[in-house]
Amino acid sequence: MGCIDIFLKIDIVKRDELLSYLPWPLMYVLSDAKESAAELIDALLGGRYGYSGQWLDAEGRALRLGFSDADFLYSDKFEGPNPNIATIGCLPYVEAIFEGRNISNIVPSYISVLMKVFSECQSKNLKLTLADWICWLAEYTDKEFWKDYYELGVINEILSRYNDVDMSIAVFNLVDMAGWSEQSILYSKVSENLYFRSPGFGHFYGDLNEIPLLKICAYLEQDSKFMGFANLLCCYALLNPALKIPFPVAAIKALISNEHKLIKFSAHVILLLVEEINAIQFVSILPIVFESGKNLKSILNCLNLMLESSLFSNDQKILICVHAVRALDEAGSNSKQLFQERLSRILDSDLSGLATYEVWDRLGLPADAFIRNG
């Protein structure tokens, strides 16, 4: 059980990366753990969350039968896997169980139950859970499927409640079945989720190729209320380096002074990609976006994507690492270690001469951040 103690001490970004490799009961318990390691271990050994045999029975029940409205209502009483999970209640992180399996036979009944419970229940927490499930299951459907369930008010509320830390590409299925005037309302809601809910960069469910890029760019160009799409476009561009995206540059430029840190950051990344600003101008905003600590996970994930991307040179990556370390240090974040390690790896493999102070100085890198390699 010492591994739980070690896990809880890991930096939050690395912790999130490791979670997906854990069995779903541990994934759920550890994802938002507020207890000490000792308290958590006692709870697990004491059966507060059930035992392994019950978890396996619950998986079998989920795959054979799906969940009923009684299961969802019952699960709303618990913070984690409930001790009676083998016979009643639904499973958290059910997507981890269904991944790679053919669940098309149970999706229709699932969605029918979800929509019924969502419309009838009063619990805010349960509505959040149901909205996440509905948006996730939309991946297994097409637009035609949703016509039987479509009501603007209900879909709008689902998108308002949608609280998943990751963005499901499938939410566009819920939006695009609407008429044009209604689509504008729903696209606005998705955009709002993208900066208020702060999905992690690089953590998108579904096929990125299904994103309606032209519509998103058009909406963003049309009105600043769609500014959340800057976040999505930024992520999409970094994950698809060969794709030429028709960025609405004038609209993106208008967002660089936005008060929302994630939007400001996303706009700067896009402008760097289209060479409207240079790397030195880009790194100048890092102290600003790290200052409050808001949206830190998303911003760090995006920086990691930039450092892995072929779109940026080693010189640019070194500049980003150096300034990220400095800005995170000033913000009091221990995440600076991620970029110190990355910087060392780049310098180890680099042949540009950046391990010498003369080259470092010529490129305008800060003298106090110079790292002598070897």
Side-chain angles (χ1 to χ4, degrees), residues 179-197:
W180 180 254
S181 60
E182 295 170 332
Q183 276 190 28
S184 179
I185 296 170
L186 298 177
Y187 265 93
S188 176
K189 189 59 63 178
V190 174
S191 169
E192 185 180 305
N193 285 350
L194 282 166
Y195 62 91
F196 280 129
R197 305 300 189 195

PDB file of all heavy atoms in Angstrom, residues 179-197:
ATOM      1  N   GLY A 179     -31.469  23.064 -35.706  1.00  0.00           N
ATOM      2  CA  GLY A 179     -31.560  24.031 -36.791  1.00  0.00           C
ATOM      3  C   GLY A 179     -30.488  25.103 -36.631  1.00  0.00           C
ATOM      4  O   GLY A 179     -29.875  25.227 -35.576  1.00  0.00           O
ATOM      5  N   TRP A 180     -30.247  25.895 -37.686  1.00  0.00           N
ATOM      6  CA  TRP A 180     -29.146  26.860 -37.666  1.00  0.00           C
ATOM      7  C   TRP A 180     -29.254  27.848 -36.512  1.00  0.00           C
ATOM      8  O   TRP A 180     -28.284  28.128 -35.817  1.00  0.00           O
ATOM      9  CB  TRP A 180     -29.091  27.601 -38.998  1.00  0.00           C
ATOM     10  CG  TRP A 180     -27.965  28.605 -39.039  1.00  0.00           C
ATOM     11  CD1 TRP A 180     -28.061  29.949 -38.967  1.00  0.00           C
ATOM     12  CD2 TRP A 180     -26.573  28.312 -39.113  1.00  0.00           C
ATOM     13  NE1 TRP A 180     -26.814  30.528 -39.009  1.00  0.00           N
ATOM     14  CE2 TRP A 180     -25.877  29.545 -39.093  1.00  0.00           C
ATOM     15  CE3 TRP A 180     -25.826  27.134 -39.192  1.00  0.00           C
ATOM     16  CZ2 TRP A 180     -24.497  29.628 -39.171  1.00  0.00           C
ATOM     17  CZ3 TRP A 180     -24.445  27.215 -39.256  1.00  0.00           C
ATOM     18  CH2 TRP A 180     -23.798  28.446 -39.241  1.00  0.00           C
ATOM     19  N   SER A 181     -30.432  28.418 -36.271  1.00  0.00           N
ATOM     20  CA  SER A 181     -30.577  29.419 -35.214  1.00  0.00           C
ATOM     21  C   SER A 181     -30.334  28.794 -33.846  1.00  0.00           C
ATOM     22  O   SER A 181     -29.769  29.425 -32.948  1.00  0.00           O
ATOM     23  CB  SER A 181     -31.971  30.051 -35.261  1.00  0.00           C
ATOM     24  OG  SER A 181     -32.974  29.068 -35.074  1.00  0.00           O
ATOM     25  N   GLU A 182     -30.751  27.541 -33.679  1.00  0.00           N
ATOM     26  CA  GLU A 182     -30.530  26.859 -32.402  1.00  0.00           C
ATOM     27  C   GLU A 182     -29.074  26.454 -32.243  1.00  0.00           C
ATOM     28  O   GLU A 182     -28.541  26.428 -31.132  1.00  0.00           O
ATOM     29  CB  GLU A 182     -31.443  25.633 -32.321  1.00  0.00           C
ATOM     30  CG  GLU A 182     -32.926  25.989 -32.279  1.00  0.00           C
ATOM     31  CD  GLU A 182     -33.811  24.775 -32.444  1.00  0.00           C
ATOM     32  OE1 GLU A 182     -33.377  23.799 -33.088  1.00  0.00           O
ATOM     33  OE2 GLU A 182     -34.941  24.792 -31.938  1.00  0.00           O
ATOM     34  N   GLN A 183     -28.422  26.112 -33.365  1.00  0.00           N
ATOM     35  CA  GLN A 183     -27.010  25.733 -33.293  1.00  0.00           C
ATOM     36  C   GLN A 183     -26.176  26.844 -32.671  1.00  0.00           C
ATOM     37  O   GLN A 183     -25.254  26.588 -31.902  1.00  0.00           O
ATOM     38  CB  GLN A 183     -26.473  25.418 -34.690  1.00  0.00           C
ATOM     39  CG  GLN A 183     -26.760  24.003 -35.153  1.00  0.00           C
ATOM     40  CD  GLN A 183     -26.019  23.665 -36.422  1.00  0.00           C
ATOM     41  OE1 GLN A 183     -24.950  24.205 -36.691  1.00  0.00           O
ATOM     42  NE2 GLN A 183     -26.587  22.765 -37.207  1.00  0.00           N
ATOM     43  N   SER A 184     -26.483  28.076 -33.005  1.00  0.00           N
ATOM     44  CA  SER A 184     -25.723  29.196 -32.467  1.00  0.00           C
ATOM     45  C   SER A 184     -25.788  29.214 -30.941  1.00  0.00           C
ATOM     46  O   SER A 184     -24.782  29.436 -30.262  1.00  0.00           O
ATOM     47  CB  SER A 184     -26.255  30.517 -33.030  1.00  0.00           C
ATOM     48  OG  SER A 184     -25.537  31.611 -32.506  1.00  0.00           O
ATOM     49  N   ILE A 185     -26.967  28.944 -30.390  1.00  0.00           N
ATOM     50  CA  ILE A 185     -27.141  28.886 -28.932  1.00  0.00           C
ATOM     51  C   ILE A 185     -26.291  27.772 -28.338  1.00  0.00           C
ATOM     52  O   ILE A 185     -25.585  27.953 -27.346  1.00  0.00           O
ATOM     53  CB  ILE A 185     -28.625  28.663 -28.578  1.00  0.00           C
ATOM     54  CG1 ILE A 185     -29.478  29.843 -29.042  1.00  0.00           C
ATOM     55  CG2 ILE A 185     -28.797  28.441 -27.078  1.00  0.00           C
ATOM     56  CD1 ILE A 185     -30.976  29.595 -28.952  1.00  0.00           C
ATOM     57  N   LEU A 186     -26.346  26.593 -28.979  1.00  0.00           N
ATOM     58  CA  LEU A 186     -25.650  25.429 -28.438  1.00  0.00           C
ATOM     59  C   LEU A 186     -24.142  25.515 -28.635  1.00  0.00           C
ATOM     60  O   LEU A 186     -23.375  25.117 -27.760  1.00  0.00           O
ATOM     61  CB  LEU A 186     -26.211  24.157 -29.068  1.00  0.00           C
ATOM     62  CG  LEU A 186     -27.705  23.898 -28.790  1.00  0.00           C
ATOM     63  CD1 LEU A 186     -28.172  22.649 -29.513  1.00  0.00           C
ATOM     64  CD2 LEU A 186     -27.979  23.769 -27.299  1.00  0.00           C
ATOM     65  N   TYR A 187     -23.704  26.050 -29.777  1.00  0.00           N
ATOM     66  CA  TYR A 187     -22.264  26.246 -29.977  1.00  0.00           C
ATOM     67  C   TYR A 187     -21.704  27.224 -28.942  1.00  0.00           C
ATOM     68  O   TYR A 187     -20.587  27.065 -28.452  1.00  0.00           O
ATOM     69  CB  TYR A 187     -21.976  26.763 -31.395  1.00  0.00           C
ATOM     70  CG  TYR A 187     -21.642  25.669 -32.381  1.00  0.00           C
ATOM     71  CD1 TYR A 187     -22.635  25.084 -33.157  1.00  0.00           C
ATOM     72  CD2 TYR A 187     -20.343  25.216 -32.526  1.00  0.00           C
ATOM     73  CE1 TYR A 187     -22.333  24.071 -34.054  1.00  0.00           C
ATOM     74  CE2 TYR A 187     -20.034  24.204 -33.424  1.00  0.00           C
ATOM     75  CZ  TYR A 187     -21.033  23.638 -34.185  1.00  0.00           C
ATOM     76  OH  TYR A 187     -20.729  22.634 -35.058  1.00  0.00           O
ATOM     77  N   SER A 188     -22.488  28.218 -28.610  1.00  0.00           N
ATOM     78  CA  SER A 188     -22.078  29.170 -27.576  1.00  0.00           C
ATOM     79  C   SER A 188     -21.891  28.455 -26.248  1.00  0.00           C
ATOM     80  O   SER A 188     -20.952  28.736 -25.496  1.00  0.00           O
ATOM     81  CB  SER A 188     -23.129  30.279 -27.443  1.00  0.00           C
ATOM     82  OG  SER A 188     -22.798  31.154 -26.393  1.00  0.00           O
ATOM     83  N   LYS A 189     -22.773  27.507 -25.952  1.00  0.00           N
ATOM     84  CA  LYS A 189     -22.675  26.766 -24.691  1.00  0.00           C
ATOM     85  C   LYS A 189     -21.439  25.871 -24.672  1.00  0.00           C
ATOM     86  O   LYS A 189     -20.736  25.777 -23.659  1.00  0.00           O
ATOM     87  CB  LYS A 189     -23.942  25.930 -24.499  1.00  0.00           C
ATOM     88  CG  LYS A 189     -24.049  25.280 -23.129  1.00  0.00           C
ATOM     89  CD  LYS A 189     -24.027  26.293 -22.004  1.00  0.00           C
ATOM     90  CE  LYS A 189     -25.224  27.227 -22.063  1.00  0.00           C
ATOM     91  NZ  LYS A 189     -25.218  28.187 -20.942  1.00  0.00           N
ATOM     92  N   VAL A 190     -21.161  25.203 -25.783  1.00  0.00           N
ATOM     93  CA  VAL A 190     -19.955  24.369 -25.853  1.00  0.00           C
ATOM     94  C   VAL A 190     -18.714  25.244 -25.678  1.00  0.00           C
ATOM     95  O   VAL A 190     -17.780  24.907 -24.947  1.00  0.00           O
ATOM     96  CB  VAL A 190     -19.875  23.609 -27.199  1.00  0.00           C
ATOM     97  CG1 VAL A 190     -18.552  22.863 -27.316  1.00  0.00           C
ATOM     98  CG2 VAL A 190     -21.039  22.631 -27.322  1.00  0.00           C
ATOM     99  N   SER A 191     -18.695  26.399 -26.343  1.00  0.00           N
ATOM    100  CA  SER A 191     -17.569  27.321 -26.235  1.00  0.00           C
ATOM    101  C   SER A 191     -17.361  27.758 -24.784  1.00  0.00           C
ATOM    102  O   SER A 191     -16.244  27.810 -24.280  1.00  0.00           O
ATOM    103  CB  SER A 191     -17.814  28.547 -27.118  1.00  0.00           C
ATOM    104  OG  SER A 191     -16.874  29.558 -26.850  1.00  0.00           O
ATOM    105  N   GLU A 192     -18.464  28.050 -24.125  1.00  0.00           N
ATOM    106  CA  GLU A 192     -18.398  28.477 -22.720  1.00  0.00           C
ATOM    107  C   GLU A 192     -17.786  27.377 -21.858  1.00  0.00           C
ATOM    108  O   GLU A 192     -16.953  27.635 -20.984  1.00  0.00           O
ATOM    109  CB  GLU A 192     -19.806  28.803 -22.238  1.00  0.00           C
ATOM    110  CG  GLU A 192     -19.882  29.367 -20.835  1.00  0.00           C
ATOM    111  CD  GLU A 192     -21.323  29.664 -20.448  1.00  0.00           C
ATOM    112  OE1 GLU A 192     -21.995  30.419 -21.192  1.00  0.00           O
ATOM    113  OE2 GLU A 192     -21.778  29.127 -19.428  1.00  0.00           O
ATOM    114  N   ASN A 193     -18.188  26.132 -22.112  1.00  0.00           N
ATOM    115  CA  ASN A 193     -17.631  25.015 -21.346  1.00  0.00           C
ATOM    116  C   ASN A 193     -16.126  24.908 -21.521  1.00  0.00           C
ATOM    117  O   ASN A 193     -15.402  24.515 -20.613  1.00  0.00           O
ATOM    118  CB  ASN A 193     -18.264  23.689 -21.801  1.00  0.00           C
ATOM    119  CG  ASN A 193     -19.673  23.502 -21.291  1.00  0.00           C
ATOM    120  OD1 ASN A 193     -20.131  24.258 -20.448  1.00  0.00           O
ATOM    121  ND2 ASN A 193     -20.372  22.517 -21.805  1.00  0.00           N
ATOM    122  N   LEU A 194     -15.659  25.269 -22.717  1.00  0.00           N
ATOM    123  CA  LEU A 194     -14.247  25.082 -23.020  1.00  0.00           C
ATOM    124  C   LEU A 194     -13.328  25.986 -22.219  1.00  0.00           C
ATOM    125  O   LEU A 194     -12.158  25.693 -22.065  1.00  0.00           O
ATOM    126  CB  LEU A 194     -14.005  25.286 -24.518  1.00  0.00           C
ATOM    127  CG  LEU A 194     -14.401  24.103 -25.400  1.00  0.00           C
ATOM    128  CD1 LEU A 194     -14.448  24.509 -26.859  1.00  0.00           C
ATOM    129  CD2 LEU A 194     -13.451  22.943 -25.214  1.00  0.00           C
ATOM    130  N   TYR A 195     -13.848  27.110 -21.715  1.00  0.00           N
ATOM    131  CA  TYR A 195     -12.952  27.891 -20.862  1.00  0.00           C
ATOM    132  C   TYR A 195     -13.377  27.921 -19.411  1.00  0.00           C
ATOM    133  O   TYR A 195     -12.552  28.054 -18.515  1.00  0.00           O
ATOM    134  CB  TYR A 195     -12.734  29.316 -21.400  1.00  0.00           C
ATOM    135  CG  TYR A 195     -13.949  30.208 -21.505  1.00  0.00           C
ATOM    136  CD1 TYR A 195     -14.315  31.025 -20.454  1.00  0.00           C
ATOM    137  CD2 TYR A 195     -14.684  30.274 -22.673  1.00  0.00           C
ATOM    138  CE1 TYR A 195     -15.404  31.870 -20.560  1.00  0.00           C
ATOM    139  CE2 TYR A 195     -15.774  31.119 -22.790  1.00  0.00           C
ATOM    140  CZ  TYR A 195     -16.141  31.916 -21.735  1.00  0.00           C
ATOM    141  OH  TYR A 195     -17.212  32.757 -21.834  1.00  0.00           O
ATOM    142  N   PHE A 196     -14.666  27.766 -19.119  1.00  0.00           N
ATOM    143  CA  PHE A 196     -15.075  27.718 -17.719  1.00  0.00           C
ATOM    144  C   PHE A 196     -14.824  26.341 -17.110  1.00  0.00           C
ATOM    145  O   PHE A 196     -14.470  26.216 -15.950  1.00  0.00           O
ATOM    146  CB  PHE A 196     -16.549  28.088 -17.557  1.00  0.00           C
ATOM    147  CG  PHE A 196     -16.793  29.563 -17.591  1.00  0.00           C
ATOM    148  CD1 PHE A 196     -17.743  30.108 -18.433  1.00  0.00           C
ATOM    149  CD2 PHE A 196     -16.065  30.421 -16.786  1.00  0.00           C
ATOM    150  CE1 PHE A 196     -17.971  31.479 -18.464  1.00  0.00           C
ATOM    151  CE2 PHE A 196     -16.271  31.793 -16.812  1.00  0.00           C
ATOM    152  CZ  PHE A 196     -17.225  32.316 -17.654  1.00  0.00           C
ATOM    153  N   ARG A 197     -15.038  25.284 -17.894  1.00  0.00           N
ATOM    154  CA  ARG A 197     -14.829  23.921 -17.392  1.00  0.00           C
ATOM    155  C   ARG A 197     -13.367  23.508 -17.516  1.00  0.00           C
ATOM    156  O   ARG A 197     -12.933  22.581 -16.869  1.00  0.00           O
ATOM    157  CB  ARG A 197     -15.693  22.925 -18.165  1.00  0.00           C
ATOM    158  CG  ARG A 197     -17.179  23.247 -18.189  1.00  0.00           C
ATOM    159  CD  ARG A 197     -17.780  23.293 -16.798  1.00  0.00           C
ATOM    160  NE  ARG A 197     -19.231  23.384 -16.881  1.00  0.00           N
ATOM    161  CZ  ARG A 197     -20.004  23.719 -15.878  1.00  0.00           C
ATOM    162  NH1 ARG A 197     -19.478  24.031 -14.711  1.00  0.00           N
ATOM    163  NH2 ARG A 197     -21.313  23.783 -16.020  1.00  0.00           N
TER     164      ARG A 197
END
